[in-house]
Amino acid sequence: MAEHDFRYTLLRPEHTLIECRSLTPGRFQVTGNGGAIRAGDTLLVTLKGSRELSMTLTVDKVRHLISPPGQWTATAAGPNFRELSILNWQVHCDSCAKQLDFEFAVDPSLGEAARAPAAEARIRELKWQSHNGHHLCPTCQKEAS
């Protein structure tokens, strides 16, 4: 089982993602070119509408196409959501005032209450520390240790 990176920031003409669409929550159809994809492999794909967020999909079935050469279509399992909203937020380090502009994804069907926990989870992914509404950047965390 191999991992194939199809994020926008790493695209090369011989290894590209053509389409990734949701069939049902948690099921996706992916079409790409290159990469020698096989069942059981994982695909890293950029979320539509995002500059930096990605999701991991696990390939269930893959069909290699004869024409054009190297193109394939796969069904894959991934995160279970009905739809996603990509939101942009900012936080400031309470020690040095450094600003973090970041994106995070949230299922809008969960309502406004789901936004803050999703943002806090993304802040932790970016190695910032958050406690009771106060934030510390990675540099200030090291200095505090």
Side-chain angles (χ1 to χ4, degrees), residues 4-22 28-37 42-50 53-59 62 68 70-76:
H4 305 274
D5 197 337
F6 285 97
R7 292 177 290 181
Y8 292 147
T9 56
L10 301 173
L11 290 181
R12 298 173 300 280
E14 68 278 359
H15 189 115
T16 58
L17 184 68
I18 297 167
E19 178 186 42
C20 180
R21 66 183 181 100
S22 177
F28 298 85
Q29 179 177 324
V30 184
T31 303
N33 191 39
I37 307 300
T42 57
L43 307 175
L44 286 170
V45 298
T46 303
L47 291 175
K48 184 177 182 177
S50 172
L53 297 175
S54 61
M55 67 178 165
T56 302
L57 305 175
T58 304
V59 176
V62 65
Q71 192 167 337
W72 47 266
T73 299
T75 55

Side-chain angles (χ1 to χ4, degrees), residues 72-91:
W72 47 266
T73 299
T75 55
N80 188 359
F81 55 82
R82 293 213 175 280
E83 67 177 288
L84 279 181
S85 290
I86 308 297
L87 302 174
N88 295 295
W89 275 18
Q90 295 177 346
V91 294

Side-chain angles (χ1 to χ4, degrees), residues 83-103:
E83 67 177 288
L84 279 181
S85 290
I86 308 297
L87 302 174
N88 295 295
W89 275 18
Q90 295 177 346
V91 294
H92 293 89
C93 178
D94 290 314
S95 182
C96 70
K98 179 179 179 181
Q99 180 175 302
L100 172 66
D101 293 308
F102 66 99
E103 291 182 325

